[in-house]
Amino acid sequence: MSPHRQPRRPSPRPAARHAAAPAAPSGRRAAGAAVAALLLAGAAAGAAAPAAVSSSTGRAAALADVGGLDLGSASLLEVSAAMDSGRVTSARLVRAYLARIGALNSRGPSLNAVRGLNPDAAAQARALDRERRVSGPRGPLHGVPVLLKDNVDVAGLPTTAGSVALAGSVPDRDAFVTAQLEAAGAVVLGKTNLTEFANFTTAGMPSGYSSLGGQVLNPYDLADTPSGSSSGSGSATAAGLAAAAVGTETSGSILSPARATSLVGVKPTVGLVSRSGIVPISASQDTAGPMTRTVGDAAALLTAMTGVDEEDPATAASAPVAGTDYLAALDPGALDGARLGYVPPADPAAPSAADQVYLRALDVLRAEGAELVPVTVGGTGAPGILVDEFRRDLDAYLDRLPENAPVRSLEDVVAYNAAHPREALKFGQTLLEQSLAVDLSDPAQRARYEEARDRGLAETRAAVDTALGRLTDDPADDLGAVVSNSRTTGTGARAGYPSVGVPAGYTDLGRDPVSLVFLGSAWEEAQLLSLAAGYEAAADAWLPPAEVNPSAFRCTSVATTTAHRGSCPP
């Protein structure tokens, strides 16, 4: 069978979602020059952050409950439904999420997940509320507050990639994905912290650390890694600081933090979501994707994010699935009769704590009618290509910025860091320096790179498609997906193929989150999302961080219980 068969195409999205995004209010663009105004401390103060733990129980309840919603656990679709029913407005939601950011981001557990806020979010929310009253909602994202990873351009707001060298870098136009989300009615609440340059600054940098943003913490365990590089998007969404967030991945940077923070993470096929206006690592592997509470949330967000973009040639291949409504395409019975490959645990005789959760997840799939077939997913012997592509692709991104941008090239970034080692180089910049040494205009270097690129892509695609049975002529060999305990992430990323991770539960000791990852072939997002949604509904495994890790939330003004609050520190 062809490895590139097209999935069925559900009805297209409403035309309004493809309309040109409305121009950002002038205030946001005017705010761009004042980078300090974007820093969270000032923004949170402007949002009237709640008082400390001495706040009354009534105040805490008011923060936690908005129109019948507990924002610490509410899904994007629940937030959308509450607005549809008139129980809450977008403006009220923005105020409530800002209050949660004030209580949890730099206070309480100090998650440090949100780097900066959009000063126009409240005005945008009010405008969308007026539009809803006059003409109804554009779709499920209308008025929904979302956060974007701080390597995604929002016109007038700094895009820093966590680097002090880019602290004053303010784009004058939106990333394509930002424009798509705003056209769908989403309210961009602000930007999330990340591992610096999406974890491509140096070897050994902790996940979630950046020279500008500091260290992101994991709400499920403040001492555990939030993983990366979309660590802020994961931490913020898990803690209910927005209804959803956008992350980016080159190899694991959506799926891994989604696992660490018990979220649904979608790593789309490369080319389904445009990368224009996103600080890059590798044109061969980069993609943006949803990080959400539920599979339905991810389907709604992904629907709005996709589209063919002339600035990103890779999106031309997505034309056959452009307009897919992934939310409408969800099939609640997808598991019944499905044939799925599964990657066995590393040691079936003595499974790790995480693999014990994984084995229980496989039992759920079987109980829902899926046939499970053990498979092996290989990889590639080709050298990596990220160092080869980074300089070329970063310089191309920087070239689209305004003329007054503080840096114009990777060479400028490395030089700035070297001149400011105290602020910039706590962990060094080995990967930046290695990338700076690459010159793809040199015929020998280019030939070596292209051979590694093409071989790696061919071998990893063959590995996935072989495991899925897509390279034979016998339909009986065909598998709907390969599932694993996050063990197919690297191969899927190198192949440019889609994966969906969904919470599978928590280890018995430590309560560490575990994901079940569904891997497919190109453009099979609709099928993977349906399979993941079926598992999610049957397993009902997700728990909010305040339940898994109550001590982190007990002494905050958004706590939903008064148990042991008398023991809070001064």
Side-chain angles (χ1 to χ4, degrees):
M1 292 185 182
S2 168
H4 301 297
R5 294 169 299 172
Q6 301 299 337
R8 63 182 181 276
R9 280 175 279 168
S11 57
R13 293 177 282 176
R17 297 197 184 188
H18 292 288
S26 59
R28 190 212 304 174
R29 289 187 165 85
V35 178
L38 237 289
L39 296 178
L40 184 61
V53 70
S54 60
S55 300
S56 67
T57 303
R59 170 65 170 164
L63 288 169
D65 185 1
V66 180
L69 296 170
D70 178 357
L71 296 185
S73 61
S75 70
L76 181 156
L77 293 180
E78 288 171 339
V79 166
S80 181
M83 284 189 285
D84 285 343
S85 69
R87 289 185 288 129
V88 71
T89 64
S90 178
R92 187 178 178 194
L93 283 167
V94 165
R95 291 195 300 271
Y97 279 120
L98 289 176
R100 289 188 64 84
I101 291 171
L104 301 175
N105 194 65
S106 58
R107 302 182 185 183
S110 298
L111 298 175
N112 199 32
V114 180
R115 199 202 69 78
L117 299 175
N118 176 7
D120 289 333
Q124 291 171 346
R126 290 192 298 269
L128 288 162
D129 286 334
R130 289 192 295 271
E131 180 182 317
R132 179 188 291 272
R133 290 193 296 270
V134 171
S135 56
R138 302 180 192 182
L141 294 190
H142 190 111
V144 174
V146 300
L147 289 163
L148 307 183
K149 186 175 177 179
D150 191 23
N151 59 351
V152 180
D153 281 352
V154 178
L157 301 184
T159 298
T160 72
S163 169
V164 293
L166 295 181
S169 186
V170 181
D172 58 1
R173 50 183 167 150
D174 287 337
F176 182 87
V177 70
T178 303
Q180 291 289 88
L181 289 169
E182 291 187 334
V187 177
V188 176
L189 193 60
K191 298 285 203 75
T192 60
N193 270 322
L194 68 159
T195 317
E196 188 166 339
F197 279 113
N199 201 24
F200 208 73
T201 301
T202 192
M205 179 174 283
S207 289
Y209 173 83
S210 68
S211 60
L212 184 63
Q215 180 64 51
V216 177
L217 300 183
N218 185 339
Y220 281 91
D221 187 334
L222 302 179
D224 202 0
T225 177
S227 199
S229 63
S230 303
S231 45
S233 293
S235 177
T237 305
L241 306 188
V246 170
T248 66
E249 173 160 330
T250 306
S251 184
S253 288
I254 290 173
L255 296 176
S256 186
R259 182 201 69 236
T261 56
S262 202
L263 294 175
V264 173
V266 179
K267 200 293 287 186
T269 305
V270 170
L272 185 65
V273 177
S274 169
R275 289 83 52 86
S276 65
I278 299 177
V279 181
I281 292 177
S282 161
S284 295
Q285 295 181 209
D286 287 350
T287 184
M291 300 181 72
T292 62
R293 248 282 288 119
T294 71
V295 175
D297 294 353
L301 199 62
L302 183 64
T303 297
M305 293 172 65
T306 62
V308 176
D309 175 17
E310 292 182 356
E311 282 196 68
D312 185 352
T315 63
S318 73
V321 294
T324 298
D325 186 333
Y326 292 100
L327 182 59
L330 290 180
D331 178 2
L335 285 175
D336 190 12
R339 295 184 72 245
L340 304 176
Y342 76 95
V343 178
D347 186 354
S352 66
D355 275 336
Q356 291 175 37
V357 178
Y358 173 56
L359 291 171
R360 293 195 290 270
L362 298 182
D363 288 340
V364 171
L365 296 175
R366 294 186 183 98
E368 291 301 300
E371 176 190 353
L372 299 186
V373 179
V375 297
T376 300
V377 179
T380 179
I385 58 170
L386 304 188
V387 167
D388 295 312
E389 293 191 348
F390 182 69
R391 180 182 185 178
R392 177 199 68 191
D393 295 344
L394 179 66
D395 285 357
Y397 163 81
L398 294 171
D399 189 58
R400 78 192 300 272
L401 296 176
E403 288 298 321
N404 62 350
V407 296
R408 307 297 306 181
S409 66
L410 174 59
E411 185 175 8
D412 290 347
V413 173
V414 170
Y416 180 94
N417 290 346
H420 303 85
R422 182 174 179 273
E423 294 83 4
L425 295 180
K426 181 177 182 181
F427 296 100
Q429 55 176 342
T430 57
L431 293 174
L432 300 184
E433 291 167 343
Q434 290 171 27
S435 299
L436 189 59
V438 172
D439 180 6
L440 292 181
S441 66
D442 174 73
Q445 290 189 47
R446 185 170 186 85
R448 175 192 55 76
Y449 150 67
E450 289 179 344
E451 193 280 331
R453 180 196 62 195
D454 295 346
R455 177 187 167 196
L457 186 66
E459 289 180 352
T460 51
R461 288 188 171 182
V464 176
D465 289 328
T466 297
L468 290 167
R470 305 298 167 77
L471 302 182
T472 76
D473 295 324
D474 187 352
D477 295 335
D478 200 10
L479 300 176
V482 170
V483 298
S484 74
N485 178 12
S486 304
R487 293 178 61 193
T488 56
T489 300
T491 297
R494 189 76 186 264
Y497 280 176
S499 293
V500 177
V502 62
Y506 309 86
T507 59
D508 293 335
L509 292 178
R511 304 174 187 168
D512 296 322
V514 178
S515 284
L516 182 67
V517 175
F518 294 78
L519 169 67
S521 194
W523 320 117
E524 292 184 350
E525 282 81 359
Q527 179 168 299
L528 297 181
L529 286 164
S530 287
L531 294 168
Y535 169 77
E536 177 186 60
D540 193 22
W542 180 81
L543 295 171
E547 185 171 339
V548 173
N549 188 26
S551 64
F553 296 84
R554 180 180 303 132
C555 298
T556 71
S557 55
V558 296
T560 56
T561 176
T562 59
H564 305 294
R565 285 177 68 107
S567 300
C568 291

